[in-house]
Amino acid sequence: MRPVWKDFLTGCRDALPVTLTFSVLFIAVGANSQASGLGLFQGLALTALVFAAPAQLAATDLIAQGAWLPALLAIVVINFRFLLMSASIAPYLGKPPRSALLGSVQMISASTFATSFIKLREGCMTYPLHYFLGVCAASFPTAILATAAGYAVQDSIPVWLHGSMTMILPIYFVTFLAKLWPMARFLIAGLLGLVLTPLANSLLPGFGLIVTALAVATLLLILEPKVCPKTT
Amino acid sequence: MSENDLIWLVILAGAGASYAFRSLPLLMISRLDLEEGGSDVLRFFDYATYAIIGGIIGSALIGGDALSAAIRDPRLAVGLATVAATFVFCLRYRGSLLPLFAGVGLYQGLSWWVV
């Protein structure tokens, strides 16, 4: 029987790209929090409790303008996508005690979710929750530390680096889609998501991601027997 | 209420909503035995997950509130070229680290050249 710690350590190891991505992303989040007038502890609390860079960036921009309710709504609307992520990963986490689930769900982010989901879906982990916790144990503290670092380096981030800071997440997420090759039906889902989400976002700001994901999943499930023969 | 209190209020209320979104589906679905009779549900969430992954890439490339402006922005072409090249690179080398570094390097290089 595979020991528990082995799955945990595999999670930590697989989270290495997440820690690199978070190091860059949350430095930007920390810098933005400071520029928006949040104190260090408020910035750290925002990362620890909201734990979603896009929601944090949007909220801190609105806080800077004194738009308190829109800031809260931005967090609520952007993090609404966690409903779907949480529902998607739930079947692959096994049946751990409820208290263990309640303690670990806070660390679901787009990156920890995608990293864990791809691996857990393969069904190769004896202790799936421990694998997920391994991914989170490497990623979550990195986000907190990078937020603090963002406060320290706020004025010294070179302008030319800003583009890479926003592109590191999509570049990392492309590697997940590449791992799906040659499963055409899942690649089609990813491609449709890529093309349709910005369009849906322009029509339903904030809800584009979840609306597109639900629509694409429904469409592909309906079409599955005709155009997408099962590959697994 | 002071500005400081309002910031804390936004943080804590946002945290509560975020935690609810993260925990409710997990608590409900983790109790269901989907392997037995729920394969359609599992595949639905599979498709939704990959659409989300694609959607996060798309949202980063094109900002939601300025679609027409973003389409004319040369940075979109640079971003798309980077995403496509990273995909091909990842097919060749697998793993995530090397393609991640290569993708960021390529984006930086193309940005200097094009933008």
Side-chain angles (χ1 to χ4, degrees):
Chain A
M1 187 105 175
R2 192 179 158 91
V4 171
W5 58 265
K6 220 165 187 175
D7 283 353
F8 181 83
L9 288 182
T10 306
C12 292
R13 192 196 60 205
D14 287 355
L16 188 56
V18 184
T19 60
L20 289 172
T21 308
F22 277 8
S23 301
V24 175
L25 254 185
F26 280 90
I27 282 179
V29 168
N32 203 55
S33 298
Q34 193 196 38
S36 300
L38 274 73
L40 174 62
F41 288 109
Q42 289 171 328
L44 294 177
L46 196 61
T47 293
L49 300 174
V50 173
F51 194 39
Q56 290 175 245
L57 290 169
T60 48
D61 282 345
L62 289 164
I63 285 172
Q65 299 164 33
W68 312 106
L69 190 59
L72 175 58
L73 285 176
I75 294 173
V76 172
V77 168
I78 294 174
N79 282 1
F80 193 66
R81 63 201 169 133
F82 289 130
L83 272 177
L84 198 50
M85 292 186 197
S86 173
S88 297
I89 202 169
Y92 298 105
L93 287 177
K95 292 195 172 14
R98 194 164 280 219
S99 56
L101 279 177
L102 284 172
S104 55
V105 289
Q106 177 57 27
M107 294 179 284
I108 292 179
S109 72
S111 299
T112 58
F113 158 75
T115 304
S116 306
F117 180 87
I118 301 276
K119 190 75 161 202
L120 295 179
R121 201 184 161 276
E122 294 169 5
C124 53
M125 291 294 146
T126 314
Y127 302 98
L129 181 67
H130 290 84
Y131 174 81
F132 173 69
L133 288 174
V135 171
C136 297
S139 312
F140 192 74
T142 305
I144 304 283
L145 290 173
T147 304
Y151 272 79
V153 300
Q154 193 238 331
D155 294 326
S156 43
I157 300 172
V159 176
W160 59 265
L161 203 58
H162 288 182
S164 291
M165 286 176 129
T166 53
M167 274 301 289
I168 194 164
L169 191 68
I171 290 170
Y172 177 46
F173 273 57
V174 170
T175 66
F176 293 125
L177 291 185
K179 283 174 188 163
L180 296 174
W181 184 269
M183 288 186 281
R185 61 196 179 120
F186 293 144
L187 284 169
I188 290 169
L191 192 63
L192 286 173
L194 192 157
V195 174
L196 297 177
T197 300
L199 294 172
N201 258 337
S202 66
L203 298 171
L204 296 163
F207 290 101
L209 192 65
I210 196 161
V211 168
T212 303
L214 291 174
V216 166
T218 307
L219 179 73
L220 290 178
L221 201 62
I222 291 169
L223 295 178
E224 199 174 48
K226 296 172 194 165
V227 296
C228 302
K230 288 177 191 174
T231 54
T232 54
Chain B
M1 207 178 244
S2 72
E3 191 170 298
N4 196 49
D5 293 340
L6 283 167
I7 291 176
W8 278 114
L9 193 63
V10 169
I11 293 171
L12 294 176
S18 303
Y19 188 79
F21 295 151
R22 285 177 168 115
S23 60
L24 292 178
L26 198 68
L27 288 175
M28 286 189 287
I29 292 177
S30 65
R31 299 292 137 188
L32 302 176
D33 206 355
L34 290 175
E35 257 91 358
E36 296 296 320
S39 60
D40 276 355
V41 178
L42 278 183
R43 286 205 312 287
F44 177 86
F45 284 131
D46 282 350
Y47 287 132
T49 295
Y50 299 122
I52 285 176
I53 291 173
I56 287 172
I57 299 168
S59 302
L61 292 175
I62 302 175
D65 50 359
L67 189 59
S68 54
I71 288 170
R72 285 190 290 271
D73 192 332
R75 280 175 296 188
L76 175 60
V78 171
L80 282 172
T82 303
V83 162
T86 306
F87 185 87
V88 173
F89 193 80
C90 204
L91 288 183
R92 173 72 181 80
Y93 293 99
R94 294 284 157 182
S96 297
L97 269 182
L98 197 57
L100 184 64
F101 283 118
V104 172
L106 178 67
Y107 180 77
Q108 206 62 65
L110 285 175
S111 295
W112 271 325
W113 187 46
V114 176
V115 183

